[in-house]
Amino acid sequence: MDAFKLSNRQNWDERADIHAADRTGFYAVDAFLAGEDTLYPIEQAEIGDVAGARLAHFQCHIGIDTLCLARRGAEVTGIDFSSRAVAHARTLADRAGIAATFIEGEVYDAPELTGGGFDIVYTTWGTITWLDDIRAWARAIAGTLKIGGRFYFADTHPAAAVMEDRDGVLLPAYDWRSAKDTPQRFDAPFTYTGDDTPLATAHNFEWMRGLSDVIGALLEAGLRLDFLHEHELLPYKHFSIMIPAGRRMFALPPGLPRMPLAVSLQATRTR
C-alpha cells in the first residue's frame, strides 16, 4: 500500500470510531436504530425499488446506508477499506437485527471479493475523492454488476469541489483534476461531524475529478448513462457559509449566485 493510501486508511480508521459513537448526531445512529430510514433526500428520491435486489455498497463506511437499503428489502453487501469501519458496520447490523454482509477491502477488488452478479452497485457522498484510479473504479463497478444491473452514485459536484470558503467568499482554490501521483493534501485536526476528538492522523490525500472523468470511465467500462442530475443541496456543510435546508441538508445562503453543489447519476451495465 502506498503512502497516500496508508495515511488515508489510518485517518478513516480513526474517523470510523468517532462516527460510530456519533456524539454530534451527524450520522443519526440513534434515529436509525429506532427504525428511521436515514438516507438523504436526494438518494431517497432517486434510488427506486431495491426490494429483492442483490446490492453492493462501495465504500460503505460504518454501514448506515447499507442497512437502510437492507430495510428496504435489498440483500446487501458493504465493502470498505477501513477495518474499523467494517467492524462498526457489523456491530450496527447486529444491534439493528438486520442481515447484511460487510467485507474489508479495496473497491478495485470488489468483483473478486463479492463474486459479482449484483443487481445494483451503490456509492454516495465522499467516495471517489479517495480513489487514485477512476477507470479501475468503473471497471470494478462493471465487474460487480450483472449485465442489465444498475449503478447509482451521488457526491459533491466537481464545480463545488474546486472552491474554498475564505472569509465568506467562495474562491477557486484547487485544480479540477489530480494526477494519480499528485493528490491534494488536506490537513484537519478533527473529522467533519463537529466532534472535537483530535485525530492522530490529521491529514489525508484526495484526488480531484471532473464530470467527464467519471462519466467517461463508466462509459468506457461498458455502462450506459440513464440520468445525470445536478443539485443545489448537500448533506454536509462543504462551506462554512452554508445554511440548513431541511432534512439534514444544506444550501448556500440567499444572495450568492446559484451553483451546483451535488451531482447524482444512474448507469446500467450493457456488456
Side-chain angles (χ1 to χ4, degrees):
M1 181 174 292
D2 66 34
F4 298 142
K5 290 183 181 180
L6 180 59
S7 175
N8 284 352
R9 189 172 68 178
Q10 292 169 339
N11 179 268
W12 277 101
D13 279 346
E14 292 183 57
R15 292 190 196 213
D17 291 341
I18 297 168
H19 297 170
D22 201 29
R23 284 178 284 268
T24 65
F26 181 93
Y27 275 95
V29 170
D30 288 344
F32 162 75
L33 289 172
E36 183 177 326
D37 185 337
T38 57
L39 293 181
Y40 292 108
I42 290 173
E43 57 267 37
Q44 280 195 13
E46 296 179 343
I47 188 59
D49 184 13
V50 301
R54 293 186 68 228
L55 183 149
H57 183 184
F58 283 15
Q59 295 168 275
C60 66
H61 193 38
I62 61 172
I64 295 286
D65 284 9
T66 326
L67 297 172
C68 284
L69 292 162
R71 277 189 178 147
R72 291 179 172 219
E75 178 187 335
V76 299
T77 298
I79 305 160
D80 201 276
F81 79 151
S82 164
S83 61
R84 297 298 302 153
V86 168
H88 287 302
R90 291 170 178 162
T91 297
L92 280 171
D94 289 342
R95 291 177 67 189
I98 298 173
T101 299
F102 291 100
I103 299 171
E104 178 187 346
E106 292 275 1
V107 294
Y108 304 135
D109 301 323
E112 293 76 28
L113 291 171
T114 65
F118 282 76
D119 302 294
I120 302 170
V121 170
Y122 173 98
T123 187
T124 61
W125 308 123
T127 55
I128 59 172
T129 192
W130 304 101
L131 303 177
D132 64 352
D133 191 335
I134 198 70
R135 285 181 170 83
W137 168 80
R139 290 194 297 271
I141 292 163
T144 303
L145 287 170
K146 67 182 185 182
I147 293 177
R150 61 189 175 101
F151 169 59
Y152 180 77
F153 169 81
D155 215 325
T156 304
H157 197 290
V162 301
M163 309 295 283
E164 187 172 78
D165 177 359
R166 295 180 179 173
D167 298 321
V169 178
L170 299 185
L171 297 170
Y174 308 107
D175 291 341
W176 71 290
R177 176 182 282 158
S178 301
K180 186 171 183 176
D181 59 350
T182 55
Q184 177 72 45
R185 174 173 169 145
F186 291 91
D187 293 271
F190 312 109
T191 190
Y192 49 80
T193 64
D195 192 302
D196 60 3
T197 303
L199 296 168
T201 305
H203 64 274
N204 54 68
F205 298 94
E206 301 182 33
W207 286 264
M208 308 298 280
R209 302 275 183 247
L211 275 181
S212 61
D213 298 324
V214 177
I215 296 170
L218 294 171
L219 296 177
E220 184 180 290
L223 280 76
R224 178 197 70 229
L225 186 64
D226 299 324
F227 67 71
L228 175 71
H229 297 154
E230 296 172 294
H231 311 268
E232 296 178 20
L233 299 169
L234 273 173
Y236 36 80
K237 293 183 73 172
H238 189 73
F239 308 115
S240 64
I241 59 174
M242 293 176 71
I243 60 175
R247 298 181 65 192
R248 299 165 62 214
M249 302 295 283
F250 297 87
L252 292 173
L256 291 183
R258 296 170 64 188
M259 64 180 291
L261 299 176
V263 60
S264 60
L265 64 83
Q266 180 177 284
T268 298
R269 182 186 171 191
T270 59
R271 57 176 169 83

